[in-house]
């Protein structure tokens, strides 16, 4: 028995005037996804982001992997730590450390850029290497370079000091004065310690600006958390598996769920990604004995943040033609298989940010040869029409694995 979870990140959207009130998913040419929808054992809408939680890919994909985010989500950074292979002990805290650009405006510091101009990874690594001793000599801290402006600070044993400390994502305060968003509450030991580290880093980056010549003149700490306690999928459902994605966050989630992380050469997380390589690695993993593969494609989300309809249509059509079609075809070699197809969350082009709205899903079982004339295809509207709503999105995997009807 083989299982596949296929995620088109940010693929869901809202009706657009320029598409005669159709959504990009409805409008795009997607024969393979439509065929899956028509033969689905179950199709409908699923709430992958629990009410009240931030609609991040971390929360949504944690739910799709079968873990209730309300119970298990501890922040973005510990997931990235897992992807980077950084071990966290029970009292350790991982904290996302962005290299950012702050600007002086009317005597106040403003968050000008949460990415320090998307500085290239080699330059960021060089900068982090110089900043590392400056911060690490201040206490049980470790600074780990990541991808471009995204780095990680680990505070060994920092859990009790950081309990109740509120940190703000820098991309949510763009253009705003930062004084209200330093680690809160200012009187807490943990917040004071992080603020001192941020001030030390700023002094260092400003004093060496002429040397490193980048737009990075401060660090911003956020997304802190302990290692999430996830019972591996193998222990829960007796399935082994692999995760395939270009995105560290998804690799980290897969690793925390006990899946092997497969790195596909040329996987970029954008329109130029290696779709064929992803399909090949997925089918090879199943052939070599894995029960389950989690295949995540980032491109639709990236182009949705850009607000480009043409690119979103291309991303959806590429996903259909170069991932869904070949993967379903490749599955024919296996006697029995089941597949779950869905976006992780909507990223509406008009809003250019994620929303927590439920997403369409289709669950297909190879041995159930249904062909519904009711279902138009794979889209938000067709999913809504079925009347099926799975409020607890984290239970979808149980349906896929046959652990729930
Ligand atoms: Zn996403």
């Amino acid at each position: 028995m083989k299982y596949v979870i296929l995620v088109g990140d940010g693929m869901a959207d809202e009706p657009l005037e320029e598409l005669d009130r159709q959504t990009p998913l409805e409008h795009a040419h997607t024969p393979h996804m439509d065929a899956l929808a028509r033969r689905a054992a179950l199709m409908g809408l699923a709430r992958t982001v629990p009410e009240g939680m931030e609609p991040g890919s971390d929360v949504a994909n944690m739910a799709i992997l079968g873990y209730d985010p309300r119970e298990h989500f501890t922040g973005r950074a510990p997931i990235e730590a897992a992807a980077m292979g950084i071990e966290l002990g029970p009292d350790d805290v991982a904290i996302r450390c962005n290299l950012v650009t702050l600007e002086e405006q009317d005597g106040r510091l403003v968050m000008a850029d949460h990415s320090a101009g998307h500085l290239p990874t080699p330059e960021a690594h060089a900068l982090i290497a110089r900043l590392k001793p400056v911060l690490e000599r201040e206490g049980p801290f470790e600074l780990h370079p990541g991808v471009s402006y995204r780095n990680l600070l680990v505070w060994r044993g920092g859990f009790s000091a950081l309990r109740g400390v509120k940190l703000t994502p820098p991309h949510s305060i763009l253009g705003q004065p930062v004084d209200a968003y330093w680690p809160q509450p200012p009187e807490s030991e943990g917040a004071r310690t992080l603020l001192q580290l941020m001030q030390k880093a700023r002094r260092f980056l400003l004093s060496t600006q002429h040397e490193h010549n980048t737009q990075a003149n401060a660090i911003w700490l956020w997304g802190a958390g302990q290692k999430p306690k996830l019972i591996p999928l193998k222990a829960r459902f007796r399935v082994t598996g692999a995760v395939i994605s270009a995105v560290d966050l998804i690799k980290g989630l897969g690793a925390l769920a006990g899946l092997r992380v497969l790195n596909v050469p040329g996987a970029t997380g954008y329109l130029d990604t290696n779709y064929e390589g992803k399909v090949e690695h997925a089918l090879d993993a199943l052939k070599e004995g894995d029960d389950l593969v989690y295949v995540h494609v980032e491109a639709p989300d990236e182009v949705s943040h850009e607000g480009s309809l043409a690119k979103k249509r291309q991303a959806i059509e590429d996903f259909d033609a170069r991932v869904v079609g070949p993967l379903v075809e490749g599955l024919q070699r296996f006697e029995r298989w089941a597949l779950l197809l869905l976006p992780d969350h909507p990223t509406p082009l008009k809003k250019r940010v994620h929303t927590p709205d439920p997403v369409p899903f289709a669950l297909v079982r190879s041995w159930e040869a249904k062909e519904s004339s009711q279902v138009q295809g794979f889209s938000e509207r067709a999913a809504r029409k079925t009347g099926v709503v799975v409020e607890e999105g984290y239970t979808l995997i149980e349906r896929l694995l046959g652990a729930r009807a």
Side-chain angles (χ1 to χ4, degrees):
M1 182 68 205
K2 299 297 180 183
Y3 304 100
V4 176
I5 299 177
L6 261 183
V7 179
D9 201 306
M11 221 167 36
D13 209 307
E14 295 162 3
L16 298 173
E17 291 309 326
E18 56 267 52
L19 298 179
D20 299 327
R21 306 291 305 151
Q22 288 189 315
T23 68
L25 198 48
E26 225 170 348
H27 183 74
H29 179 60
T30 58
H32 299 291
M33 287 194 273
D34 296 342
L36 286 176
R38 282 193 293 273
R39 62 175 292 193
L42 187 68
M43 177 165 170
L45 291 172
R47 189 178 294 285
T48 54
V49 178
E51 306 246 14
M53 291 189 81
E54 279 293 313
S57 294
D58 40 14
V59 168
N61 284 276
M62 180 178 269
I64 298 170
L65 267 168
Y67 303 92
D68 183 353
R70 286 165 300 197
E71 212 180 307
H72 297 287
F73 185 72
T74 60
R76 188 185 194 104
I79 298 172
E80 292 174 337
M84 292 159 77
I86 298 167
E87 244 334 289
L88 295 177
D91 294 323
D92 297 341
V93 177
I95 308 165
R96 166 67 90 81
C97 174
N98 280 38
L99 287 164
V100 301
T101 311
L102 300 181
E103 243 167 46
E104 196 79 42
Q105 283 175 16
D106 310 325
R108 300 177 77 184
L109 271 185
V110 166
M111 180 62 69
D113 186 337
H114 70 286
S115 73
H118 283 279
L119 79 169
T121 299
E123 288 175 40
H125 281 198
L127 210 44
I128 292 295
R130 299 188 61 194
L131 195 53
K132 201 173 162 61
V134 175
L135 300 187
E136 292 188 355
R137 67 170 162 249
E138 296 301 313
F141 308 112
E142 292 167 16
L143 190 57
H144 296 269
V147 176
S148 177
Y149 60 91
R150 310 172 189 86
N151 308 285
L152 220 62
L153 182 81
V154 173
W155 183 343
R156 299 288 174 191
F159 177 63
S160 54
L162 284 171
R163 201 197 293 266
V165 170
K166 186 175 181 312
L167 303 173
T168 303
H171 48 269
S172 67
I173 54 170
L174 283 172
Q176 294 182 50
V178 297
D179 37 17
Y181 298 105
W182 297 117
Q184 300 290 325
E187 63 279 3
S188 95
E189 182 224 337
R192 261 203 328 273
T193 303
L194 294 187
L195 179 59
Q196 279 157 11
L197 289 176
M198 291 162 92
Q199 288 166 337
K200 270 210 181 287
R202 176 145 173 81
R203 279 196 294 279
F204 174 79
L205 291 166
L206 284 174
S207 66
T208 57
Q209 187 106 54
H210 60 288
E211 291 164 31
H212 61 80
N213 206 14
T214 74
Q215 293 173 45
N217 62 16
I219 64 169
W220 195 265
L221 301 173
W222 63 286
Q226 290 173 283
K227 180 180 181 176
K229 297 184 186 67
L230 305 184
I231 301 170
L233 294 176
K234 186 157 190 223
R236 292 177 60 197
F237 303 110
R238 291 187 304 286
V239 292
T240 64
V243 60
I244 294 170
S245 174
V247 177
D248 267 358
L249 206 58
I250 309 301
K251 293 178 183 176
L253 274 171
L256 288 164
L259 301 179
R260 289 186 307 132
V261 176
L262 301 182
N263 292 307
V264 177
T268 61
Y270 200 64
L271 290 169
D272 58 352
T273 195
N274 181 4
Y275 292 112
E276 287 70 23
K278 286 189 165 188
V279 172
E280 202 184 315
H281 278 70
L283 292 171
D284 286 350
L286 294 174
K287 237 185 325 180
E288 286 151 20
D290 275 323
D291 305 308
L292 176 142
V293 283
Y294 192 96
V295 180
H296 170 272
V297 172
E298 175 69 6
D301 184 57
E302 285 302 323
V303 296
S304 300
H305 287 299
E306 291 174 23
S308 168
L309 173 55
K311 287 183 180 175
K312 188 159 189 172
R313 182 183 171 152
Q314 184 195 339
I316 292 172
E317 292 184 351
D318 284 348
F319 178 70
D320 188 82
R322 298 169 66 184
V323 176
V324 181
L327 197 59
V328 171
E329 195 186 314
L331 284 173
Q332 304 316 316
R333 79 186 64 171
F334 301 107
E335 204 185 323
R336 283 165 77 94
W337 52 271
L339 178 147
L340 176 64
L341 165 70
L342 74 175
D344 56 345
H345 52 70
T347 309
L349 286 165
K350 289 285 178 264
K351 296 179 175 145
R352 298 178 65 171
V353 293
H354 303 175
T355 73
D357 296 340
V359 295
F361 75 90
L363 172 56
V364 178
R365 298 185 178 118
S366 64
W367 61 97
E368 289 187 22
K370 269 178 68 176
E371 188 64 32
S372 159
S373 56
Q374 310 297 316
V375 175
Q376 291 293 313
F378 186 72
S379 72
E380 302 84 349
R381 197 189 315 265
R384 196 171 303 112
K385 254 197 193 153
T386 68
V388 173
V389 179
V390 176
E391 279 299 335
E392 311 285 4
Y394 68 88
T395 65
L396 279 174
I397 197 169
E398 294 169 25
R399 291 174 171 86
L400 174 73
L401 299 176
R404 180 192 282 248

